[in-house]
Amino acid sequence: MSRVVQQPSVSASPAALLQHVRAGRASSRAELAALTGASRNTISSRVDQLIGADLLLEGGRGDSTGGRPPTLLQFNSRAGCVLAVDLGVTSVDVAVTDLSARVLATAGHPIDIAEGPRAVLGEAVRLGAEVLAAAGLSDADVRAVGVGVPGPVEFSTGRPSHPPIMPGWHDHPIPEAFARWPVPVVVDNDVNVMALGEMGVTGSDLDVLVVKVGTGVGCGVVVEGRVYRGAQGSAGDIGHIHVPAPDGRTVLCRCGNTNCLEALASGASLLRDALAAGLPVSSTRDVVGLAARGDGPALELVRQAGRTIGTVLAALVNFFNPHRIVVTGGVAHAGLPLLSGIRESVYARAMPLAARTLAVELSAAPELSGRVGAALMAVEACLDDDGVRVALS
Amino acid sequence: MSRVVQQPSVSASPAALLQHVRAGRASSRAELAALTGASRNTISSRVDQLIGADLLLEGGRGDSTGGRPPTLLQFNSRAGCVLAVDLGVTSVDVAVTDLSARVLATAGHPIDIAEGPRAVLGEAVRLGAEVLAAAGLSDADVRAVGVGVPGPVEFSTGRPSHPPIMPGWHDHPIPEAFARWPVPVVVDNDVNVMALGEMGVTGSDLDVLVVKVGTGVGCGVVVEGRVYRGAQGSAGDIGHIHVPAPDGRTVLCRCGNTNCLEALASGASLLRDALAAGLPVSSTRDVVGLAARGDGPALELVRQAGRTIGTVLAALVNFFNPHRIVVTGGVAHAGLPLLSGIRESVYARAMPLAARTLAVELSAAPELSGRVGAALMAVEACLDDDGVRVALS
């Protein structure tokens, strides 16, 4: 016989019980007892605590398997709210969501991240208060804050670590800016946050690459539904992988090396090449807009960028063998030309076994995944063992 | 505040208690109770069962923190043995080890995997009986069998899946060949098995790439100490990643594509290039031997192969951000010339943050890691929840 190695036992902590109900794995005390192996008494007293804290709701009758039909349990996603902050290189967006990451109100505007942490975070806090008011909620309803930033973050402290395009932000204690809300504040880089957003509120147990094509190029790496970070937390940093230029050019990258992926195929390189080709554009958004409207030269630039990104993804498909690749970020608004360039290279060079059932897709809502991901990250933080312990105390 | 998201609760199943003692996380009933949160009664009765089944030993007195000093517990690695089968393209090796993967006896000889499953597995079973006898053990002492094969395997059934260099093995039920021992039989591809072997008996919670440079090139991917497989189980299949040839050549690969990594840098390509250069060799082993003895042209071939492999690893370092890369396989016997070629490319092209504390090393015992890994895989299978339940029944 052959069989799979050790499975961890199923926890019956109050937080674990809540997660089982929330994920739809159980909807009654009996199902929770069967799933976790804990006694009916233990389950009942913990469920009562969760109901007392308003995190679970009781109502309706389930199907009986003999005897009295069970009372159904439901996760109360209105037991509080979280703030989701999406900091971009040129924008700040804040949403308030319920505990299922449903957006209740959102606000944002352009801002230059180089204005520094004091100005930008001050604005994020102001927008947070604004969306709470717009949704008819108060500061006391906030359970956690999630923040995505466009650079590397030391996840355990929430401090940016030498972020190349966030001057003045190195080692800044971002969580302290949100002291108005005395709750957990979780900070991560925008690509990891977007990856969470693409997994959605139901989560996933799949292996997924979420590729962001914006000013730069980055990748969120999801292993069995969880963000993979690597030794220094820099996993997914694919923008500086070396690629041969299709026309044999040598292009200097802002990192000092030559022919990095993002020197050849990114929002910044698209703008550079479009200007060099004499297209009437002044921003990456203009190039993407032209391509989306079917302008021939812009289309070809976007498609070629897709092909170049695809050569790197083909190698990563062989190595990582993901179930899905999701393409997001500002350049993803160009749509099919980008996607077909990527697919062309991936299917030309990836191994047939690894590519067989691989899905390569555009994000359904590239502009929202940052906020939804930040909300999900915040929800996780307030529904983990520590968070639930606080809620029950 | 910022903090890490949900941790699973610690299990107190008999198998989990055994693992805690085996890994050195606890050495007394009191420590097990503190670690798992289970009651002293539960712990005591489960520990007594494990002692009754000879899996734990009791002896000595620990330090007291007040009151009677605790009795120390120890994992009994002699409670049984496992068979470790390492099938290569041209060899079969079988070891019997204790439950800590210490080799008690080993035997093996050249064989051509193309002789097919009946002949090769028959030989493996014969060698299994031979090493058991050599170690003074009987069939009844065998707790599990681990098998590594040089091709893709459907892990859940232990059947090879279209293995390119194992003609006649597709879909063959390998575990059935070992029916002489009515115990769990676990089969995986050799690179995953070697990765386990390199993690060692103490395991690891690190992110590691184990790169095998043999006839072909493959990679075991370890995420937080566990083998990562991907969607179709083909993760780590780096041999067919496209690389530019250093001299601009176009080289056809046996897969039908051009300039795959293993067409340019593998045991097979080394032999081809050495013959083309007129070196007096008739096998990859000869080329590796020449390089290890300092022959100039052979050294340069090996070093160049290292550089080419390093260009792929540089990209993977950016993407995966591992703590360590371990190089193993037949060509690793060439030693430093291979390693320095790899390091040269990795440090030239990987991002400074990801490369900062990265260790790139040769395997300490490339010829043994296949057997140690197969033994560890077998041990895991007999010490998981199911395996311990059988032992206690």
Side-chain angles (χ1 to χ4, degrees), chain A residues 238-271:
Chain A
I238 64 172
H240 300 275
I241 290 180
H242 185 258
V243 286
D247 52 3
R249 279 187 297 171
T250 296
V251 180
L252 188 67
C253 181
R254 63 182 163 82
C255 76
N257 235 320
T258 55
N259 285 25
C260 294
L261 174 58
E262 69 177 44
L264 288 167
S266 64
S269 77
L270 271 179
L271 176 59

Side-chain angles (χ1 to χ4, degrees), chain B residues 227-315:
Chain B
V227 173
Y228 169 81
R229 299 168 193 285
Q232 271 77 32
S234 77
D237 207 344
I238 65 172
H240 300 275
I241 289 179
H242 185 259
V243 286
D247 52 3
R249 278 187 298 172
T250 296
V251 180
L252 188 67
C253 181
R254 63 183 163 81
C255 76
N257 234 320
T258 55
N259 286 25
C260 292
L261 174 59
E262 69 178 43
L264 289 167
S266 64
S269 77
L270 271 179
L271 177 59
R272 178 197 64 210
D273 294 348
L275 288 169
L279 299 189
V281 293
S282 64
S283 69
T284 300
R285 190 183 296 258
D286 293 345
V287 186
V288 168
L290 274 182
R293 287 195 301 279
D295 175 83
L299 275 178
E300 180 48 26
L301 284 176
V302 167
R303 187 171 178 121
Q304 183 53 46
R307 285 190 199 106
T308 303
I309 293 166
T311 60
V312 168
L313 293 182

Side-chain angles (χ1 to χ4, degrees), chain A residues 1-9 11-13 15-16 19 152 154-158 161-162 175-176 183-187 207-209 219 221-224 226 228-238 240-244 255 257-260 314-323 348-351 353-358 377 380-388 390, chain B residues 1-9 11-13 15-16 19 152 154-158 161-162 175-176 183-187 207-209 219 221-224 226 228-238 240-244 255 257-260 314-323 348-351 353-358 377 380-388 390:
Chain A
M1 99 183 238
S2 167
R3 62 164 198 239
V4 176
V5 289
Q6 186 160 18
Q7 295 291 328
S9 288
S11 163
S13 71
Q19 295 291 4
E154 191 182 68
F155 187 67
S156 58
T157 62
S161 173
H162 298 284
E176 290 177 12
V183 295
V185 178
V186 195
V187 186
D207 306 316
V208 181
L209 299 181
C219 178
V221 184
V222 177
V223 170
E224 292 175 12
R226 296 166 61 105
Y228 169 82
R229 298 169 193 283
Q232 271 77 33
S234 78
D237 207 344
I238 64 172
H240 300 275
I241 290 180
H242 185 258
V243 286
C255 76
N257 235 320
T258 55
N259 285 25
C260 294
L316 297 182
V317 165
N318 286 1
F319 170 76
F320 186 69
N321 187 18
H323 295 86
R349 290 290 338 189
M351 295 278 287
L353 177 62
R356 195 170 53 188
T357 60
L358 174 70
M377 188 167 70
E380 287 305 317
C382 64
L383 297 185
D384 68 2
D385 281 323
D386 286 346
V388 169
V390 171
Chain B
M1 106 189 230
S2 168
R3 61 164 200 242
V4 176
V5 289
Q6 188 161 16
Q7 295 291 329
S9 286
S11 163
S13 70
Q19 296 289 4
E154 191 182 68
F155 187 68
S156 58
T157 62
S161 173
H162 299 285
E176 290 177 11
V183 295
V185 178
V186 195
V187 186
D207 305 316
V208 181
L209 299 181
C219 178
V221 184
V222 177
V223 171
E224 291 174 12
R226 297 167 60 105
Y228 169 81
R229 299 168 193 285
Q232 271 77 32
S234 77
D237 207 344
I238 65 172
H240 300 275
I241 289 179
H242 185 259
V243 286
C255 76
N257 234 320
T258 55
N259 286 25
C260 292
L316 298 182
V317 165
N318 286 2
F319 171 75
F320 187 68
N321 187 18
H323 295 85
R349 289 294 335 193
M351 294 280 285
L353 177 63
R356 193 169 56 188
T357 60
L358 173 69
M377 188 167 70
E380 287 305 318
C382 65
L383 296 186
D384 69 2
D385 281 322
D386 285 347
V388 169
V390 170

Side-chain angles (χ1 to χ4, degrees), chain B residues 82-85 97-98 101 146 193 370-380:
Chain B
V82 300
L83 288 172
V85 180
T97 82
D98 69 12
V193 170
R371 270 164 283 173
V372 173
L376 286 169
M377 188 167 70
V379 170
E380 287 305 318

